[in-house]
Amino acid sequence: MRVSRLMLVTLRDDPAEAEIVSHKLLLRAGYTRRISSGIYAYLPLLWRVLQKISQIVREEMNATGALEVLLPQLQPADLWERSGRWAGYTAGEGIMFHLTDRQGREQGLGPTHEEVITTLAADLIRSYRQLPVNLYQIQTKFRDEIRPRFGLMRGREFIMKDAYSFHADEASLRETYADMDGAYRRIFARCGLRTVAVEADSGAIGGSASQEFMVTAEAGEDLVLASADGRYAANQERAVSLASEALPLGPDPCQQLSTPGQTTIEALVAAHGFDPSQIVKVLLLAARFADGTVQPVLVSLRGDQQLNEVKLANALTAVLADHGALLEVAPIDGAFVERWSLTPGAIPFGYLGPDLADDTLDQKGKAPGVALTSAPQSPVAPPRLERHFLRLADLTALDLPRFVCGANQADSHRVGATWADLGPLPQTVDLRAAQPGDRCLHDPSQHLEATRGIEVGHIFQLGRKYSTALDATFTNEAGQEEPLWMGCYGIGVSRLAQAAVEQNHDANGICWPLAIAPYAVIIVIANLNEPLQVKLAERLYGELQSAGVEVMLDDRDERAGVKFKDADLIGIPFRVVVGRGAASGQIELVSRVEGERQDLAAEDLLTCLMQRIRP
Ligand code: ATP
Ligand code: MG
């Protein structure tokens, strides 16, 4: 590869569009350009990196016996209707790009492939004798992300390796899941990445056990909570912990307390000396489902705890499964009250208690508003407001024998309330967000520590959710039909490339791990006007190429300093400088990471490099 033919445009300054260092460097070093929001071109150097990663993924997947396929990206809506995911993926906050074809049929651009692969399995797998099988592909995925950002980290079009396994029983699924865990660890290690495996939420994909692989980096979007002994690590979305003990409240019977202007936990604490753990706070939310139901939800939390929105969404999906997919959860606010023409309850939000009466949701008689938020033409039923609260309480709130809470009237709280005073008990669920510093469940002497991570892989045990929905059955040894067991396993190939930069760079640019570097070596001709230098560089370039070394030749008519800077920025592991020494057959070898320089005879270059590249 001759750099003069590369259309290489490097930037000295950080581009305004990039926030994190890996994104800045990939733009500055000419690896990528943004075409539109979340959509990037993979330029020649980046494409080589992506292919190297893909090849490592391919080798490790093949070694487990998995088979490579390529599935359609355009997927018919009816498959997704059958799995029950069409509405959830296309309406509300759904992330599937979708369109209507010339026959008037709806299609989605694949964000993931459970539906397609399960349909194929239904067709092709007949008997337990064919099992287990594991199929994978490396392909562009489409997701209309709500917040595309950080370049390749969260794109709307990106490359993923996705694999799907089918099994006769759960034990076989667990075996393949363990094989994938091993393959993933080898893949990330071979790519030169430091990763941690963490317990994960299964999200919209569904299923039971799941584990994410995180590249540890400050810029990571995910918060990982882990114990120092290494026995527990989880994504905060999923993490559990022991909350601190609540401070007991005095034994006095329940009393009203005048609290004008004290609408926050902080204000109550400041005015009356309560501990936040003595207060039950109430969050008013509304959840919208695919069948049109808008369900008001009243969540009670201990005052010192925060809501984990992922846990809430999972609880709502489980409790109200009959209403179809959960499309969105939004706070009930003034606009909501207005939209649904609710009778103003005259209770400011800061004074609500867990026993807020259902008749707060009485309607003034006007027609209901259109939607919770302005979702564009959703394929779902028109919204219909439920006239009672779904009452949920986090375990830590329900554990309080006596507490402070709003009195459901302005300027007033109750002190010493008990759940028995407040009517029927809410449903108890784990809703609190685990926090750094919390005690661990497995060993309360350990505390959770936080690190940030970039999720590069995710493996799931799906169970029989999709096979049941899509009628993918097989005949078991006893001759009976039963649904297949399934697993699915993803790696964000393009995200991984950028995560590698986030973990491997210095002040001068990228420091690619050798295994995924676009080229191993760059030969720089210091002065293009010196025929001896040109001649020697060309000769070495030819020799290295013939020996199978992946080599670039910087043959641009630029100052040597510019070329050295670019070589560092691009991050090629070894730089060979052909300069003044060319006359006596001397060259310089510089390693990108250590910056170590070595003068050597041109004749020795190949042997020397071979030792470093393929030890
Ligand atoms: P995230 O939580 O980051 O949104 P996800 O849980 O939706 O990801 P999966 O459905 O598990 O992702 O997809 C498998 C892998 O694909 C992820 O582990 C991640 O590495 C990658 N990935 C997911 N979304 C994107 C995206 N928008 N851009 C780039 N890579 C992505
Ligand atoms: Mg995930």
Side-chain angles (χ1 to χ4, degrees):
M1 166 77 246
R2 287 170 189 274
V3 178
S4 60
R5 307 287 89 194
L6 190 58
M7 305 178 297
L8 183 68
V9 178
T10 55
L11 310 173
R12 196 167 307 214
D13 298 318
D14 285 335
E17 69 180 90
E19 291 170 66
I20 61 174
V21 66
S22 53
H23 186 197
K24 291 176 186 167
L25 286 173
L26 287 176
L27 288 167
R28 282 186 52 207
Y31 281 84
T32 183
R33 283 291 183 271
R34 176 180 177 276
I35 301 300
S36 70
S37 164
I39 303 200
Y40 288 84
Y42 310 133
L43 296 174
L45 291 178
L46 181 57
W47 184 236
R48 287 184 67 97
V49 173
L50 293 170
Q51 283 183 304
K52 294 210 163 172
I53 296 168
S54 301
Q55 188 52 27
I56 292 172
V57 169
R58 195 170 272 131
E59 285 169 18
E60 294 297 340
M61 291 301 292
N62 291 350
T64 67
L67 300 172
E68 188 167 0
V69 293
L70 189 58
L71 303 173
Q73 284 160 309
L74 214 45
Q75 307 185 5
D78 60 295
L79 288 186
W80 287 72
E81 301 276 9
R82 286 176 64 199
S83 70
R85 292 208 293 181
W86 180 256
Y89 265 81
T90 54
E93 297 186 346
I95 45 108
M96 181 150 63
F97 287 102
H98 51 108
L99 54 106
T100 309
D101 67 17
R102 66 170 75 240
Q103 272 103 32
R105 296 197 191 98
E106 285 208 275
Q107 313 277 350
L109 277 177
T112 179
H113 277 71
E114 283 79 12
E115 281 75 3
V116 170
I117 197 93
T118 310
T119 307
L120 289 168
D123 180 12
L124 300 171
I125 299 174
R126 308 277 157 90
S127 150
Y128 71 94
R129 288 192 198 88
Q130 294 169 278
L131 297 170
V133 288
N134 191 5
L135 301 172
Y136 76 95
Q137 59 175 346
I138 299 173
Q139 183 197 51
T140 297
K141 293 280 187 277
F142 298 89
R143 293 186 182 181
D144 197 357
E145 295 279 357
I146 295 163
R147 272 178 294 280
R149 57 182 196 157
F150 299 158
L152 309 183
M153 290 283 190
R154 185 167 297 285
R156 298 199 299 158
E157 185 181 315
F158 59 96
I159 302 175
M160 194 201 286
K161 185 285 297 181
D162 47 331
Y164 307 87
S165 67
F166 297 92
H167 310 268
D169 54 41
E170 198 171 4
S172 165
L173 166 59
R174 290 217 187 96
E175 239 169 72
T176 298
Y177 183 80
D179 287 349
M180 288 297 107
D181 177 52
Y184 274 40
R185 287 170 200 266
R186 286 189 297 278
I187 289 167
F188 300 132
R190 282 183 62 187
C191 289
L193 294 173
R194 296 179 296 283
T195 54
V196 286
V198 308
E199 280 182 25
D201 178 67
S202 297
I205 304 268
S208 50
S210 98
Q211 183 174 285
E212 286 167 344
F213 293 83
M214 299 282 184
V215 168
T216 47
E218 267 309 305
E221 285 189 291
D222 287 282
L223 191 71
V224 173
L225 295 175
S227 62
D229 66 1
R231 283 171 57 204
Y232 183 76
N235 191 316
Q236 191 189 30
E237 291 178 352
R238 155 91 189 192
V240 289
S241 65
L242 287 169
S244 60
E245 295 287 339
L247 292 188
L249 203 59
D252 297 340
C254 186
Q255 286 173 3
Q256 295 271 121
L257 182 69
S258 172
T259 53
Q262 296 156 25
T263 55
T264 62
I265 302 284
E266 296 74 46
L268 281 171
V269 167
H272 305 279
F274 298 130
D275 186 80
S277 69
Q278 297 169 324
I279 302 171
V280 169
K281 63 181 170 188
V282 165
L283 309 178
L284 257 193
L285 303 157
R288 187 161 67 94
F289 290 85
D291 73 348
T293 304
V294 174
Q295 173 67 60
V297 185
L298 203 145
V299 175
S300 298
L301 281 179
R302 213 171 80 182
D304 60 337
Q305 302 299 321
Q306 301 305 321
L307 177 67
N308 177 326
E309 289 173 12
V310 175
K311 289 182 181 175
L312 175 65
N314 290 343
L316 292 172
T317 306
V319 174
L320 299 171
D322 293 349
H323 295 308
L326 173 65
L327 301 185
E328 66 176 317
V329 181
I332 291 185
D333 53 11
F336 180 92
V337 169
E338 180 63 26
R339 196 171 289 134
W340 289 95
S341 308
L342 301 179
T343 310
I347 313 170
F349 286 117
Y351 297 98
L352 301 179
D355 53 341
L356 180 66
D358 284 340
D359 62 17
T360 325
L361 295 167
D362 273 352
Q363 224 165 292
K364 269 192 301 200
K366 269 205 277 172
V370 265
L372 202 51
T373 59
S374 52
Q377 331 103 5
S378 59
V380 294
R384 180 179 45 77
L385 182 67
E386 288 285 352
R387 310 295 280 286
H388 63 273
F389 290 109
L390 171 70
R391 293 165 200 272
L392 302 175
D394 181 63
L395 199 62
T396 53
L398 219 73
D399 267 354
L400 292 176
R402 306 159 50 67
F403 48 87
V404 177
C405 66
N408 294 320
Q409 67 189 61
D411 300 341
S412 182
H413 280 79
R414 285 166 286 185
V415 184
T418 68
W419 287 105
D421 300 337
L422 302 184
L425 276 188
Q427 294 189 42
T428 318
V429 259
D430 172 27
L431 291 175
R432 62 178 278 272
Q435 301 286 355
D438 284 353
R439 290 168 301 154
C440 299
L441 286 177
H442 75 277
D443 173 0
S445 74
Q446 301 267 327
H447 294 266
L448 290 178
E449 292 168 10
T451 39
R452 299 214 71 90
I454 301 164
E455 179 197 327
V456 287
H458 198 164
I459 58 178
F460 297 83
Q461 292 178 29
L462 287 175
R464 307 205 275 190
K465 173 176 162 172
Y466 293 94
S467 54
T468 306
L470 292 155
D471 275 330
T473 60
F474 71 103
T475 312
N476 65 20
E477 269 190 270
Q480 284 147 353
E481 289 276 305
E482 57 168 302
L484 290 156
W485 289 85
M486 282 179 67
C488 78
Y489 320 94
I491 290 183
V493 171
S494 46
R495 180 184 286 184
L496 191 159
Q498 190 174 323
V501 177
E502 196 61 42
Q503 234 178 25
N504 299 282
H505 66 268
D506 63 17
N508 298 324
I510 301 172
C511 303
W512 287 113
L514 183 59
I516 61 172
Y519 290 89
V521 181
I522 181 164
I523 300 174
V524 179
I525 309 174
N527 184 348
L528 215 65
N529 299 318
E530 290 288 342
L532 275 179
Q533 293 185 16
V534 176
K535 200 166 159 222
L536 180 57
E538 290 282 353
R539 198 187 89 210
L540 292 172
Y541 180 53
E543 272 175 28
L544 294 188
Q545 277 186 322
S546 313
V549 176
E550 294 174 302
V551 56
M552 301 171 86
L553 176 67
D554 195 346
D555 56 346
R556 292 174 302 168
D557 192 6
E558 294 279 358
R559 283 186 296 112
V562 169
K563 293 197 262 197
F564 296 161
K565 271 215 162 70
D566 279 350
D568 278 354
L569 181 61
I570 295 169
I572 306 301
F574 296 101
R575 179 169 95 210
V576 174
V577 183
V578 182
R580 286 202 195 97
S584 55
Q586 287 289 306
I587 55 169
E588 186 187 40
L589 179 63
V590 187
S591 70
R592 173 67 184 86
V593 178
E594 298 86 14
E596 157 208 330
R597 286 156 199 280
Q598 188 183 352
D599 287 316
L600 76 175
E603 280 65 41
D604 299 333
L605 176 64
L606 185 58
T607 328
C608 182
L609 273 176
M610 283 305 196
Q611 282 166 357
R612 311 275 296 259
I613 295 173
R614 296 179 205 143

